[in-house]
Amino acid sequence: MVFRQLFDSVSCTYSYLLAGRGGGEALIIDPVLDKVDRYLQLMRELDLRLVKAVDTHLHADHITGLGALRDRTQCITVMGERSRVDVVSMRVTDGDRLQVEGIELEVIYTPGHTDDSCSFRMADRVFTGDTLLIRGTGRTDFQNGDARAQYESIFGRLLRLPDETLVYPGHDYKGDTVSTIGEERRCNPRLQVKSIDEYVELMHNLKLANPKMMDVAVPANMKVGLQQQEIARRGWATTAEEALGIIGQPDVVLIDLRERAERERHGTIPGSVHVPYPTLPESTSAGGMLYVLAKSAGKRLLFYCAFGERSAMAVQAAQDAGLRACCHLNGGLAAWKAAGGPIVQ
Ligand SMILES: [Fe+2]
C-alpha cells in the first residue's frame, strides 16, 4: 500500500495520498491548491493515477485543490451529500464505500465542525478531518457548526471504533502527526467532559478569532465545479428536456458513468448502459465497447452521471479519442429528475 501524509505549512493542513499499490489508482484526501504541483510530481514519481480527490468538508482556512486536480488529471471529485459546493462529481453519505483499486474507505457522517463533515475509515485507521484532532476538536462556531452534533459524532461514532484505530486528522498546529482512538479518549482535554452539555459549554467559550483565509477560502471552495460552458459551446451538451425527446431512438445509446452504489441508491435512466467513468480510457480505445458502439455500430453516445461533471469530462475524452457522435446530459441525473425524466430502480 502507498500511504503518504503530506503537510501544508501555511494552513497546517494534512493531506493524504492513498493507493493500493505503486503503479495503480490513487485517491487523495483534503488536497491544498498551493500544493497541487507537488502532489502531481509525487504521483508521477510513484507511477500513480489519481482517480478520486476527496474533501472531508468545506474548508475555511485554505483553498481546496479539488478543482485543479480534476482539471489536470480528470479525476472524480468527492464530497459529502450536505456540502454547499456548486458541483462535485460524486456526493457520499453515511455508510457509503468509497473505492479505488485496492483501497476502500467507509464514509462516516460526522457533522459538528461543519454540517457537511465526513470521516473516512480505512482498515486500521480513520481520517477524521476537523472533527477529531490530536488533543483537540474542530471549532464549531461557524459554517453551520454545532457543538451538540459534534459531541454525538465523536462520542457516538468515532470513539466507538477500536481503541487501536489510528487517527489521522485534517490539521495539526503542534507537530503531531498521528494518534489513536484510545489515546484521544484518555488524553484529549476536550473529551474529558461528563455530559453533552459540558462539552457544548466548553466549545461555546473558546472565543477563537476567524481563520485568516476564511473570507477568501469559503467562497472559493463553494465554486469548484467544472466550467461546462466550453463543452456546451461546442455543441456537446444536451439539456434534460432535449434528452427526454431523444431517448428511445434506436441510434442513441445512453451511457451511465456512475458507480454501482450510486446506481442502486439513485436509480438509472431506463435502457442505459453502465460504463464506470474510470474505465473510459479502455472503453473508448480501439476495440473497446464505446469505440465499437460509436465507430462500428454508428450509435450516438449520450453520457450521463450524477451532476454532469464526469459526463462533461467523458465527452471531451471521447471526442479526443475520435468518437465524434457523442454528447452529455447537462446537470446529470439531478437535472433529469428535476425535468420529470423516468427512473428505474
Ligand atoms: Fe475545517
Side-chain angles (χ1 to χ4, degrees):
M1 185 179 86
V2 178
F3 173 78
R4 294 297 166 92
Q5 183 176 32
L6 302 155
F7 187 58
D8 172 49
S9 57
V10 177
S11 59
C12 292
T13 300
Y14 284 128
S15 309
Y16 299 93
L17 179 66
L18 312 172
R21 62 177 177 94
E25 295 182 349
L27 174 151
I28 193 165
I29 298 174
D30 286 336
V32 175
L33 178 62
D34 289 344
K35 296 284 172 183
V36 162
D37 285 335
R38 172 68 194 132
Y39 308 142
L40 293 173
Q41 182 192 2
L42 182 59
M43 284 186 271
R44 273 194 304 275
E45 289 164 353
L46 301 177
D47 190 23
L48 298 175
R49 183 166 76 93
L50 186 67
V51 172
K52 286 179 181 157
V54 186
D55 265 353
T56 52
H57 64 288
L58 187 76
H59 298 288
D61 60 344
H62 67 269
I63 298 179
T64 175
L66 246 55
L69 285 169
R70 178 209 50 228
D71 291 346
R72 293 175 65 178
T73 69
Q74 285 70 56
C75 70
I76 297 170
T77 53
V78 184
M79 286 189 79
E81 206 163 56
R82 300 287 295 271
S83 277
R84 288 169 298 135
V85 292
D86 56 348
V87 185
V88 284
S89 301
M90 185 187 288
R91 289 176 180 271
V92 291
T93 190
D94 194 64
D96 279 354
R97 312 238 161 210
L98 194 56
Q99 292 165 323
V100 300
E101 177 195 359
I103 296 279
E104 183 172 277
L105 301 176
E106 178 196 347
V107 182
I108 309 174
Y109 178 47
T110 48
H113 170 59
T114 61
D115 60 353
D116 69 335
S117 291
C118 290
S119 298
F120 296 89
R121 183 189 187 190
M122 181 181 81
D124 63 345
R125 60 198 65 193
V126 60
F127 303 96
T128 53
D130 292 355
T131 301
L132 177 60
L133 304 173
I134 299 174
R135 309 299 191 265
T137 57
R139 62 193 299 173
T140 55
D141 56 338
F142 57 71
Q143 285 192 282
N144 301 325
D146 180 339
R148 226 163 252 286
Q150 191 176 53
Y151 180 95
E152 299 291 355
S153 293
I154 294 173
F155 283 86
R157 303 298 303 275
L158 296 176
L159 293 189
R160 296 202 175 167
L161 297 173
D163 271 6
E164 60 276 16
T165 308
L166 298 170
V167 172
Y168 284 101
H171 292 286
D172 193 85
Y173 307 94
K174 313 172 298 298
D176 291 310
T177 54
V178 61
S179 179
T180 67
I181 288 293
E183 191 181 314
E184 289 310 308
R185 180 188 293 107
R186 279 187 293 108
C187 308
N188 189 322
R190 297 242 178 112
L191 307 186
Q192 310 311 309
V193 290
K194 298 204 171 46
S195 67
I196 188 165
D197 290 331
E198 193 184 331
Y199 184 75
V200 171
E201 175 80 12
L202 174 76
M203 294 306 286
H204 284 177
N205 287 314
L206 293 176
K207 300 190 173 63
L208 301 167
N210 281 346
K212 289 195 246 7
M213 286 279 285
M214 182 163 156
D215 295 339
V216 178
V218 171
N221 290 341
M222 286 171 72
K223 291 196 183 64
V224 295
L226 178 69
Q227 295 297 318
Q228 296 187 26
Q229 296 92 322
E230 183 56 24
I231 297 288
R233 201 185 59 74
R234 295 182 191 176
W236 298 341
T238 302
T239 65
E241 289 75 12
E242 289 165 351
L244 274 166
I246 59 171
I247 63 156
Q249 291 181 7
D251 64 329
V252 175
V253 182
L254 270 130
I255 311 292
D256 185 356
L257 298 163
R258 296 169 304 152
E259 300 189 357
R260 188 153 49 96
E262 295 177 277
R263 288 161 56 86
E264 286 168 1
R265 186 144 58 87
H266 301 293
T268 60
I269 299 177
S272 48
V273 175
H274 186 208
V275 180
Y277 176 77
T279 67
L280 209 60
E282 63 184 83
S283 198
T284 54
S285 54
M289 179 171 64
L290 294 180
Y291 186 93
V292 170
L293 278 173
K295 289 275 195 184
S296 309
K299 302 288 188 188
R300 289 155 63 200
L301 307 180
L302 175 53
F303 292 107
Y304 77 96
C305 59
F307 308 105
E309 279 232 326
R310 278 169 282 184
S311 57
M313 294 191 286
V315 79
Q316 181 70 60
Q319 293 283 346
D320 291 346
L323 312 185
R324 300 284 170 231
C326 65
C327 60
H328 86 118
L329 176 59
N330 222 7
L333 195 72
W336 176 261
K337 285 184 176 174
I343 293 288
V344 283
Q345 286 291 343

